[in-house]
């Protein structure tokens, strides 16, 4: 398989490793995808007009270069390296070097600008510019597949900077509850991948409410997270939820205690 043909396969692998949160592998492959795409892009525009074209990837070559930076920015964000994240954001936001100007090219550029706008707000929020939270959420509101993932970040920011995000959580409470019930896939993410992140989100929500002494709400999200964690059979998530519940045991109702005991039995633990 030639380098051009490799690009789609590498991109698919990158997406897989991102979904699995295997960040180091995603970084390695994104770097390689960008390297190959840059070489092939330069070669493409050095070829003579009458030269026979070769088979290429499914998407525009420059898109793989921009996508490489998008993923590398995401990896940097996950590592809380926001200087690096901003560096890559500027790379996929800058299209001055791109030769193509047809409709497909312009649509691709537009999509990366949308991502750049949202991610710039996110990175600023995660570095303390919390007044942008409302604008960030509004920028995602038209896409249900993006808003849930965005809420994961918003709650992290709420915890990190102790800011009040009640109005946002109330606005999307129905969406959150529907996901608790359905545990469905979101966009291109499988239900397994989404639930891995969703249980963390629910535990973060619990901590958010616990910090403001709303233990009655916090315990609901602890049990939701614990229930899904039990299905995923992930020890790390389970331990976090068990610890949270024990902090709140005194606030639990009889029904909540019964639910907790049932989950413990499900994972074969003894109270």
């Amino acid at each position: 398989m030639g380098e051009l043909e490799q690009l789609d396969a590498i991109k698919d692998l990158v997406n897989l490793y991102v979904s699995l949160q295997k960040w180091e592998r995603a970084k390695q492959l994104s770097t390689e995808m960008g390297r190959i795409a840059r070489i092939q892009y330069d070669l493409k525009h050095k070829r003579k007009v009458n030269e026979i074209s070769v088979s290429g990837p499914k998407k525009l070559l420059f898109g793989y270069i921009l996508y490489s930076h998008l993923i590398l920015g995401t990896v940097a964000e996950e590592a809380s390296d926001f200087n690096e994240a901003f560096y890559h954001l500027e790379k996929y936001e800058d299209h001055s070097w791109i030769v193509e100007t047809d409709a497909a090219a312009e649509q691709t550029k537009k999509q990366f600008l949308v991502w750049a706008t949202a991610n710039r707000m996110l990175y600023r929020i995660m570095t303390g510019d919390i007044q942008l939270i409302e604008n960030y959420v509004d920028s995602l509101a038209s896409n249900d597949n993006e808003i849930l993932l965005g809420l994961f970040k918003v709650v992290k920011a709420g915890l990190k900077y102790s800011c009040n995000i009640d109005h946002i959580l109330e606005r999307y409470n129905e969406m959150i509850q529907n996901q608790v019930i359905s545990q469905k896939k979101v966009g291109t993410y499988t239900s397994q991948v989404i639930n891995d992140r969703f249980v963390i989100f629910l535990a973060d929500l619990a901590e958010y409410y616990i910090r403001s002494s709303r233990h009655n709400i916090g315990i609901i999200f602890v049990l939701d997270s614990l229930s899904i964690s039990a299905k995923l059979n992930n020890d790390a998530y389970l331990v976090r939820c068990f610890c949270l519940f024990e902090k709140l045991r005194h606030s639990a109702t009889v029904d909540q205690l019964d639910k907790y005991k049932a989950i413990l039995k499900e994972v074969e633990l003894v109270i």
Side-chain angles (χ1 to χ4, degrees):
M1 183 185 293
E3 285 196 328
L4 275 172
E5 289 76 18
Q6 288 179 35
L7 286 173
D8 288 317
I10 294 174
K11 184 172 182 287
D12 288 342
L13 281 173
V14 167
N15 289 338
L16 174 63
Y17 284 119
V18 167
S19 71
L20 296 174
Q21 301 182 69
K22 303 291 186 182
W23 302 116
E24 188 57 38
R25 191 64 179 130
K27 180 178 180 179
Q28 293 170 355
L29 287 170
S30 294
T31 301
E32 179 65 2
M33 178 173 65
R35 183 193 70 80
I36 293 172
R38 285 184 195 92
I39 292 171
Q40 295 302 322
Y41 190 79
D42 288 343
L43 288 174
K44 173 185 175 182
H45 291 289
K46 288 177 181 178
R47 292 190 186 108
K48 297 178 181 178
V49 175
N50 62 353
E51 185 175 344
I52 298 173
S53 62
V54 295
S55 61
K58 296 176 182 177
K59 298 185 182 298
L60 294 162
L61 270 173
F62 74 79
Y64 294 89
I65 300 171
L66 300 181
Y67 195 68
S68 170
H69 285 294
L70 176 68
I71 297 300
L72 290 170
T74 299
V75 172
E77 176 218 331
E78 290 292 334
S80 297
D81 185 350
F82 290 101
N83 287 333
E84 184 76 5
F86 275 118
Y87 167 80
H88 288 292
L89 186 152
E90 289 171 0
K91 290 294 186 180
Y92 63 81
E93 186 179 46
D94 175 21
H95 305 157
S96 61
W97 54 275
I98 297 172
V99 176
E100 291 81 359
T101 58
D102 58 67
E106 293 305 314
Q107 183 59 40
T108 298
K109 295 175 195 176
K110 181 180 178 181
Q111 179 59 70
F112 278 98
L113 290 176
V114 169
W115 284 328
T117 299
N119 285 338
R120 175 170 279 104
M121 283 191 282
L122 173 61
Y123 299 165
R124 287 178 62 185
I125 289 166
M126 297 308 292
T127 51
D129 202 352
I130 57 175
Q131 67 266 25
L132 288 174
I133 286 180
E134 193 73 40
N135 290 338
Y136 173 65
V137 173
D138 287 344
S139 75
L140 304 176
S142 62
N143 189 334
D144 286 350
N145 294 335
E146 296 290 341
I147 190 64
L148 186 62
L149 296 170
L151 289 175
F152 295 176
K153 304 293 186 180
V154 167
V155 173
K156 289 286 187 189
L159 287 173
K160 184 176 181 179
Y161 296 106
S162 300
C163 57
N164 189 311
I165 54 170
D166 284 3
H167 59 297
I168 294 173
L169 297 176
E170 290 168 6
R171 179 178 171 184
Y172 291 103
N173 181 60
E174 185 177 351
M175 177 182 288
I176 295 168
Q177 295 306 318
N178 286 341
Q179 188 64 28
V180 170
I181 295 168
S182 68
Q183 297 164 39
K184 63 183 179 180
K185 69 187 291 289
V186 175
T188 58
Y189 294 96
T190 66
S191 58
Q192 172 75 34
V193 169
I194 282 297
N195 286 333
D196 277 342
R197 301 187 185 190
F198 193 57
V199 293
I200 298 171
F201 168 69
L202 292 173
D204 286 345
L205 270 180
E207 289 204 22
Y208 172 77
Y209 286 111
I210 291 167
R211 287 186 185 183
S212 57
S213 299
R214 288 174 285 179
H215 295 175
N216 60 321
I217 302 176
I219 202 166
I220 293 171
F221 287 113
V222 170
L223 288 170
D224 286 338
S225 182
L226 188 56
S227 178
I228 299 173
S229 296
K231 294 176 183 176
L232 296 175
N233 197 27
N234 187 298
D235 291 342
Y237 304 155
L238 287 168
V239 169
R240 182 186 179 190
C241 292
F242 288 141
C243 292
L244 282 172
F245 188 89
E246 290 303 325
K247 288 181 182 179
L248 302 173
R249 180 186 279 271
H250 65 281
S251 301
T253 65
V254 172
D255 286 344
Q256 288 169 337
L257 286 169
D258 286 344
K259 183 176 181 179
Y260 181 59
K261 292 174 184 177
I263 295 170
L264 287 176
K265 289 180 180 178
E266 185 180 339
V267 294
E268 298 180 346
L269 292 176
V270 179
I271 298 175

